[in-house]
Amino acid sequence: MFKIYMRLFSLLALAAILGGCYEPEPRVYDRQHWLSRWSDADDDCQNVRHELLIWLR
């Protein structure tokens, strides 16, 4: 039974490596990729974040 589990585990590990799940070098963190800029919806030179902070104050 142990041999079956080990064979299954090795096949899954091989599939993960060959399938692109493994990155040899981690990507550089890019804040703009994850956090888009706050927009200025009403064109008053204050972005939505600042307007929200003022409103919550």
Side-chain angles (χ1 to χ4, degrees):
M1 190 70 162
F2 181 73
K3 287 183 180 181
I4 294 173
Y5 284 123
M6 286 305 295
R7 184 176 294 247
L8 180 62
F9 176 74
S10 62
L11 287 174
L12 288 174
L14 182 63
I17 291 171
L18 295 178
C21 294
Y22 173 74
E23 292 185 37
E25 294 181 16
R27 296 181 188 166
V28 177
Y29 175 73
D30 181 15
R31 183 176 182 173
Q32 295 302 322
H33 178 74
W34 295 101
L35 178 66
S36 59
R37 295 181 179 209
W38 291 87
S39 66
D40 181 13
D42 54 2
D43 292 326
D44 64 348
C45 297
Q46 287 186 338
N47 61 31
V48 175
R49 178 182 175 269
H50 288 127
E51 291 178 0
L52 182 64
L53 290 173
I54 291 169
W55 184 74
L56 291 174
R57 181 169 49 155

